């Protein structure tokens, strides 16, 4: 992990990699993130940058790797997946978060974008399946309940492809 982290830094900064921050643009070059539709959200959720630039310290990088590792529990994976899908950071997945989530998965091109009617139907289906207390949103425990019924979630790491 240290070797991979230090290789994301310019050569002259590699000696003290533990005290450096890797820019988000360098993190996004990792093969595991390059094609991930949630790559920007992943960087945002794992970054502790006070500057808000989504750069990562070595600790941030380790946290990210551990969550996506095979040994991470389903609870840990689902907790971070929820945070990644909670685009506005308000602790719930509302219709706006779900629309952004679907757009990330389907792409923004004309051919792949859902019509407003298709989007509305899909969001209704997601809420019907997941919104246990019927408040129109999905909270963390509702999300984890749905995920617990999906054996593929833990096996493929939640937001990994």
């Amino acid at each position: 992990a240290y070797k991979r982290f230090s290789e994301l830094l310019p050569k002259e900064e590699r000696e003290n990699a533990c005290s450096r921050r890797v820019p988000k643009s360098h993190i996004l070059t990792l093969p595991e993130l390059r094609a991930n539709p949630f790559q920007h959200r992943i960087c945002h959720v794992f970054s502790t940058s006070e500057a808000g630039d989504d750069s990562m310290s070595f600790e941030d990088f380790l946290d990210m790797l551990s969550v996506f590792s095979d040994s991470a529990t389903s609870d840990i994976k689902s907790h971070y997946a929820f945070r990644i899908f909670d685009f506005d950071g308000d602790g719930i997945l509302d219709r706006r978060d779900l629309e952004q989530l679907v757009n990330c998965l389907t792409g923004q091109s004309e051919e792949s974008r859902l019509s407003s009617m298709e989007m509305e139907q899909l969001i209704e289906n997601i809420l019907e399946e997941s919104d246990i207390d019927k408040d129109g949103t999905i909270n963390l425990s509702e999300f984890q309940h749905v995920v617990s019924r999906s054996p593929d979630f833990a096996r493929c790491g939640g937001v990994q492809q």
Side-chain angles (χ1 to χ4, degrees), residues 12-125:
E12 63 275 6
E13 294 181 23
R14 290 183 184 167
E15 213 168 285
N16 294 331
C18 277
S19 62
R20 305 284 184 201
R21 296 193 72 82
V22 171
K24 175 182 173 180
S25 60
H26 295 197
I27 299 290
L28 294 177
T29 66
L30 291 167
E32 297 87 345
L33 289 180
R34 205 174 298 140
N36 191 306
F38 300 101
Q39 59 182 214
H40 296 284
R41 288 292 305 154
I42 290 168
C43 288
H44 182 74
V45 165
F46 286 97
S47 173
T48 57
S49 171
E50 291 179 15
D53 60 4
D54 295 343
S55 64
M56 286 193 193
S57 67
F58 182 57
E59 296 254 332
D60 298 339
F61 188 72
L62 281 178
D63 287 345
M64 180 180 71
L65 292 181
S66 68
V67 168
F68 291 124
S69 79
D70 291 340
S71 58
T73 66
S74 180
D75 273 358
I76 299 255
K77 288 179 185 292
S78 62
H79 171 80
Y80 279 93
F82 183 86
R83 287 186 56 203
I84 289 164
F85 299 157
D86 182 12
F87 288 86
D88 57 12
D90 65 356
I92 56 168
L93 303 184
D94 58 17
R95 288 177 175 275
R96 194 172 310 132
D97 292 317
L98 295 174
E99 187 171 332
Q100 284 185 267
L101 190 151
V102 170
N103 284 335
C104 278
L105 292 173
T106 60
Q108 298 292 328
S109 68
E110 280 299 317
E111 311 85 57
S112 64
R113 190 180 302 130
L114 297 181
S115 71
S116 56
M117 208 167 84
E118 291 168 325
M119 179 67 79
E120 186 57 35
Q121 183 60 58
L122 182 55
I123 290 172
E124 281 302 317
N125 292 348

Side-chain angles (χ1 to χ4, degrees), residues 20 120 130-131 149:
R20 305 284 184 201
E120 186 57 35
S130 310
D131 182 17
R149 299 183 313 190

